[in-house]
Amino acid sequence: MAGGILQMAQRIAAAVAVSAVPGSYPRGTSAPAGAPRTAFAHATVLGAGLPAAAAVLSLLRPRLSAPPAPRPPPRARTSRHRS
């Protein structure tokens, strides 16, 4: 189940990156400078910023459940024989 959730998260992240980064490119070319370098810089910053923001958010979010408490080791049973 965890593998399926991981793969789903990877596919969602890839879809967001594939749509957001190229979408920022026309914004850079419509700038007053209109240079492709500006567009490339916008796309690069966005491409690096999305994973960085995701990493920060994943570190800041609280855990959904506390880890289980460690269980004490089982006691050794001793048998006492009466003589």
Side-chain angles (χ1 to χ4, degrees), residues 49-80:
L50 284 175
V56 168
L57 289 175
S58 70
L59 292 174
L60 293 178
R61 81 178 189 119
R63 291 185 179 252
L64 297 177
S65 62
R71 295 179 7 168
R75 291 186 184 180
R77 292 188 179 203
T78 58
S79 59
R80 294 186 179 184

